[in-house]
Amino acid sequence: MVLFQRSLIRSLVQGQLSLCAPLSGNESSVPAWCSARSRHRIDRHGCYTTSVIAGVSERTLIAVKPDGVQRRLVGQIVQRFEQRGFKLVGMKLLQAREDILSQHYHDLHKKPFYPNLLRYMSSGPVVAMVWEGHNVVRTSRLMVGNTNPAEAYPGTIRGDYSVHISRNVIHASDSVEGAQREIQLWFDRRELVDWDCCDHSSSYQV
Ligand code: UDP
Ligand code: MG
C-alpha cells in the first residue's frame, strides 16, 4: 500500500513538473531554469522534498585559522553558522600546503605582511568548511567582522575572539565568485555533501 502511494505521488508530481530534469541519483541538482513551482521534488524514497531552492544554495568558504584552532574556538564558530541557519556541506581539519595558501592569497603577494601571513597560516592546522544558504557570502562576512579586530564590532567573530590583524581567527570568502574559486581550491567535489536539511522550510519561505 505504501509502495503504491509512493509510486502514485511520484507519477503525479513528475507529471506536473515536466520542466524538471528526470530524477537521477543526485536529487539536489535542480536546473536553474526550473520555475518556482517546479522546485518541489520527490526523492528516490518517494519523499516530498523542498531542499533545493534557487537562490538559497549559495556557498562560501569559511576557515578557522591556526590561532582559532589552537585556542579551541572551532566549536563556537561552527555553532554560530549553524544557529544562523546555514547548512554545513563540507568540513576538514588540515595542515594547509604552501601551494594552496599562495593561490588562496595570490592577490596579496606584494603586500609587506604576505610572508608573515603565509607563516601564520601554515603554523598549525586549519579547519576548512563550506557553508550553504541564502546570501551566505555577504552574511558570513558580516558575522566575521572587520579584517582588523580593533575595528570589528563586538558580536562579530573577530570582534569577540581577536585583538590583532595578524591573528584574526577566521577566513571568509569576500564574493560569490571568490567563494567558488576558493571552494574548488580547498575541496575536492567528492568532499562536499548534498543533503536535505530537515528545518529548511523553517528558514525559508518556499
Ligand atoms: N592581514 C595582515 N595584515 C594586514 C592585512 C591583512 O596580517 O595588514 C592578514 C589577515 O590575516 C587577513 C588576511 O591577511 O585576514 C587577508 O587579508 P584580506 O584583506 O583579504 O582580509 P580578510 O578578507 O581576511 O578580511
Ligand atoms: Mg580576503
Side-chain angles (χ1 to χ4, degrees):
M1 184 62 182
V2 173
L3 281 177
F4 172 73
Q5 283 174 336
R6 284 181 176 171
S7 126
L8 183 64
I9 294 168
R10 189 189 295 267
S11 314
L12 277 172
V13 174
Q14 282 181 332
Q16 288 167 358
L17 306 181
S18 56
L19 271 180
C20 277
L23 294 176
S24 65
N26 180 7
E27 302 301 334
S28 61
S29 52
V30 178
W33 39 264
C34 274
S35 71
R37 284 173 60 82
S38 67
R39 288 177 194 134
H40 306 293
R41 311 196 83 198
I42 296 294
D43 69 15
R44 73 177 74 87
H45 310 294
C47 297
Y48 184 73
T49 172
T50 58
S51 65
V52 178
I53 311 297
V56 304
S57 55
E58 185 174 294
R59 289 180 173 182
T60 195
L61 182 87
I62 300 293
V64 183
K65 294 178 175 181
D67 52 331
V69 176
Q70 292 287 351
R71 293 173 54 205
R72 302 180 180 86
L73 295 174
V74 174
Q76 293 184 55
I77 289 172
V78 168
Q79 188 176 33
R80 289 189 181 216
F81 285 88
E82 284 193 321
Q83 287 183 337
R84 186 66 190 249
F86 293 124
K87 183 169 85 171
L88 183 63
V89 294
M91 186 183 208
K92 61 184 175 186
L93 174 81
L94 75 160
Q95 179 71 46
R97 294 197 321 262
E98 198 178 324
D99 61 309
I100 291 189
L101 292 174
S102 55
Q103 285 182 67
H104 180 81
Y105 286 123
H106 69 98
D107 55 330
L108 300 175
H109 78 280
K110 289 190 176 145
K111 300 282 185 187
F113 58 83
Y114 180 78
N116 280 339
L117 174 60
L118 257 56
R119 249 194 307 279
Y120 158 46
M121 289 298 292
S122 53
S123 66
V126 304
V127 173
M129 296 173 273
V130 178
W131 288 89
E132 180 181 293
H134 180 63
N135 265 337
V136 68
V137 171
R138 184 165 180 276
T139 305
S140 58
R141 288 291 290 192
L142 292 172
M143 292 166 67
V144 162
N146 196 295
T147 303
N148 184 354
E151 308 286 328
Y153 290 113
T156 63
I157 294 168
R158 286 169 172 165
D160 285 351
Y161 299 131
S162 58
V163 290
H164 195 270
I165 195 166
S166 65
R167 296 288 183 274
N168 60 2
V169 169
I170 186 167
H171 166 80
S173 309
D174 65 4
S175 66
V176 173
E177 300 71 33
Q180 285 166 357
R181 190 178 60 248
E182 291 174 359
I183 290 167
Q184 280 175 19
L185 178 64
W186 287 81
F187 282 88
D188 188 282
R189 183 65 195 85
R190 287 164 298 184
E191 294 174 312
L192 303 178
V193 182
D194 287 326
W195 60 288
D196 292 335
C197 204
C198 65
D199 72 349
H200 199 286
S201 58
S202 308
S203 302
Y204 299 105
Q205 185 185 10
V206 294

